[in-house]
Amino acid sequence: MFVNVDTVHDSPDFPEQVDVVVIGGGIVGTTTAYELACRGVSVALLEKGLIGCEQSSRNWGWVRQQNRDMFELPLAMHSLNRWEAMSGEIGRDVGFRRSGIVYTTDNPESLAKWEAWGEKAREHGFVSQQLTAEQAHEKAPGTTSKWLGGVFSPTDGHAEPAMACPAIAFGARERGAYVHQNCAVRGLELTGGRVGGVWTERGLIRASSVVCAGGAWSSRFCRRHGVELPAANIMGTTLQTTPGDQVTPGCLTTPKIALRRRLDGGYTLAMPGFGRVEISPQGLRYATKFYGAYRSKLAKKLQVRIGRSFFRGPEAAGSWEFDQVSPFEQTRVLDPVPDMAQARAALAGLHAEYPALKGVHIARVWGGMIDTTPDMVPVISPVEAIPGFIVASGFSGHGFGIGPGGGQLAADLVTGATPVVDPTPYHLDRFARGSRIRQPEMM
């Protein structure tokens, strides 16, 4: 089901030359373009479909620091500050509200993990509150489960995915960026081994730097140029409920459901950790790098099956010439079929946990494609083999929350500015070295 997002208007002129081309109009691409435009850099933001219409509008809308991988935490902390400032800078609401995030559990192992995580997080300056059983019920009033405890991060928040990317793209365009939708980038123009521009379906745009922020499509784009970006795309299901009583002002996760209060009075609802993976040429290519992740507890909720991904879409095989229709034009908006059984189970879980919400129903259901790296930490990195080419992808389901920080880091790498955080953990070559392939610390 196509997700409704706010409308974005293209720039009136199509550029022949800019300093930087950003590929992909999701949260990472739009924030990269916005940060570059704010610095006076000439930038073109190109989207094969419509701004924010793939995973950046299909996620839960959480903006969190709590339970991030320790390599991601500094970026998440910085992103919270950018989220808070952005509406005021742009003059349009991105839907961000700093309302706190609550985790509850009836599992003592989860409590021990959260406590250990909190001790490490304090070294980075982030403090969350470990909850007793009584406090967990106070933070999640109206729930029927008997909680052993939980954790509360009062400085975390949420935003509205359907509003955010269009508003940020508007802000970029108002600051001089070119914004063009339904304009796929077919490949890189290379001059003397380095970036000289991009070939689009409308022709060549010359540029000295290119940022690939194509989400689920990034790995296939990179392979066309001999660049290995290990990625697996996980399909998730999310739903929107009809309006109901407010049981939480922000976000809540229990072992069975994750929900966010929406500005329209309903809830965005999902089942944590559930998804499906389709067998594909890309998946087989990088299977050994994901071996540890697939054997971990994180993989127990994943369904594996054969589907259309083997022959078509971001994980298929095959090459193309730049004067031919590319795979990016064949699928303007990636719109995976949602798992309706999973959606119904999520709603049943909500009704069981919150009797006060038994009157709410499913309003809409959608599927999304989550581009995931073997260690579930993003790649925000120059590609050493192609000077001028930077990848900002593989955010592993965390991209919406940490996207603004990721966009700023990508802009820093392009311009040579002092990086907002240490970029070393996000470097692409960690997979070739094998030094960081490990089981993720925390989802």
Side-chain angles (χ1 to χ4, degrees), residues 275-359:
R276 71 176 186 265
V277 177
E278 292 189 352
I279 297 172
S280 69
Q282 178 175 300
L284 295 173
R285 185 184 190 95
Y286 299 124
T288 57
K289 294 189 181 296
F290 282 89
Y291 180 73
Y294 287 153
R295 289 199 63 186
S296 73
K297 293 180 180 179
L298 301 176
K300 290 186 176 180
K301 297 178 181 179
L302 294 180
Q303 300 174 348
V304 180
R305 72 179 198 183
I306 296 176
R308 288 184 243 175
S309 297
F310 201 94
F311 305 102
R312 186 181 177 91
E315 297 188 80
S319 188
W320 60 94
E321 300 300 324
F322 299 155
D323 60 353
Q324 299 174 340
V325 174
S326 69
F328 317 115
E329 295 148 77
Q330 294 170 353
T331 306
R332 292 290 182 182
V333 175
L334 194 58
D335 192 23
V337 176
D339 185 330
M340 292 305 299
Q342 190 180 124
R344 288 189 289 269
L347 184 67
L350 179 70
H351 289 164
E353 195 63 75
Y354 281 105
L357 294 179
K358 284 191 173 180

Side-chain angles (χ1 to χ4, degrees), residues 85 102 115 216 248 280 322 329 343 428 439 442:
V102 178
E115 185 173 5
T248 178
S280 69
F322 299 155
E329 295 148 77
L428 176 62
Q439 182 175 323
M442 185 67 67

Side-chain angles (χ1 to χ4, degrees), residues 198-271:
V198 295
W199 285 99
T200 79
E201 61 184 286
R202 302 185 196 178
L204 176 66
I205 300 178
R206 298 200 175 277
S208 58
S209 297
V210 172
V211 178
C212 179
W217 298 90
S218 291
S219 184
R220 189 168 190 187
F221 183 92
C222 287
R223 285 198 305 279
R224 175 62 180 79
H225 292 279
V227 176
E228 297 292 339
L229 174 62
N233 293 324
I234 299 173
M235 286 171 270
T237 294
T238 308
L239 67 93
Q240 171 187 343
T241 75
T242 54
D245 294 343
Q246 178 172 297
V247 296
T248 178
C251 306
L252 170 69
T253 284
T254 76
K256 295 182 179 179
I257 57 171
L259 67 153
R260 170 181 64 86
R261 181 67 167 175
R262 299 168 56 92
L263 295 183
D264 60 17
Y267 290 89
T268 295
L269 179 65
M271 296 178 68

